[in-house]
Amino acid sequence: MCTVPNTSGYTFVDYLQDDVVLTNEEASAASSFETMQLLSRNVSTTKLTIPLMLLFRTNFIGDFRYFGKFGLRNSFLLTHSIADDGIQTTLGIPNGEAISTTLMSSPGEMFLYNGSIGLTAGAEWNFVGSTCLVLEAGYYYGITPYFLDRKDENKSMYNIGTELIFPPNKEYFSASARQNQLIFKLSILF
């Protein structure tokens, strides 16, 4: 869940009725489109993740074995969708109608690849035969952003200041986020 800050004005998004977000260039070329004052945005992704980790572990000391992992987790974007909540606007002035869009698409908004460097440590307890209980804790630091910092003509969100001028001055921007994770795992190995 991403709450859009309201520091220098309001955040707006132009879109078509078939739930396609328009970029700056597409909105200036389109003959008709809808505009919403953005209140919140949920981005849902499906990714394929391939970890490349080095595993360092001890021999069993009694019933316990200790390990550490270090490496890179590679994630590739398969699909993404955007759900926006906002207020319908006309010429930048909210008309009071609350709207919600689901499964919006914004092609080219997100990086296809996300990488993160990870370090984990844990212990393995052999409690019956070859069955083990594994406890692991780790931290992954995101090294690539989720969203593209796009060229000005490809940005889709914009702010309109509070000054009363017509046409309003639009300042386009791109969303920004990285994924840092603290992970705890409890597993059983047979």
Side-chain angles (χ1 to χ4, degrees), residues 56-77:
F56 304 98
R57 66 180 176 193
T58 65
N59 291 328
F60 276 101
I61 302 168
D63 290 335
F64 290 93
R65 175 166 45 190
Y66 304 97
F67 64 89
K69 294 179 188 176
F70 174 77
L72 186 65
R73 189 167 58 183
N74 304 290
S75 297
F76 300 94
L77 181 68

Side-chain angles (χ1 to χ4, degrees), residues 60-179:
F60 276 101
I61 302 168
D63 290 335
F64 290 93
R65 175 166 45 190
Y66 304 97
F67 64 89
K69 294 179 188 176
F70 174 77
L72 186 65
R73 189 167 58 183
N74 304 290
S75 297
F76 300 94
L77 181 68
L78 299 177
T79 63
H80 82 283
S81 62
I82 300 169
D84 288 337
D85 291 318
I87 301 170
Q88 186 70 33
T89 65
T90 305
L91 299 174
I93 301 169
N95 63 15
E97 183 182 334
I99 56 172
S100 182
T101 60
T102 57
L103 301 177
M104 260 185 153
S105 65
S106 182
E109 183 88 18
M110 301 186 76
F111 265 106
L112 295 177
Y113 170 79
N114 291 117
S116 57
I117 295 175
L119 178 65
T120 67
E124 185 177 328
W125 174 41
N126 185 350
F127 63 94
V128 174
S130 63
T131 305
C132 296
L133 182 66
V134 181
L135 178 64
E136 182 178 350
Y139 180 73
Y140 289 90
Y141 175 74
I143 55 175
T144 58
Y146 271 174
F147 300 97
L148 293 170
D149 187 16
R150 302 162 68 165
K151 296 179 183 176
D152 284 341
E153 64 269 8
N154 292 332
K155 294 180 180 180
S156 60
M157 293 184 288
Y158 58 91
N159 289 332
I160 295 178
T162 55
E163 58 277 343
L164 297 172
I165 58 173
F166 187 81
N169 185 21
K170 297 179 180 180
E171 297 175 25
Y172 282 88
F173 65 95
S174 293
S176 176
R178 290 182 193 271
Q179 183 173 5

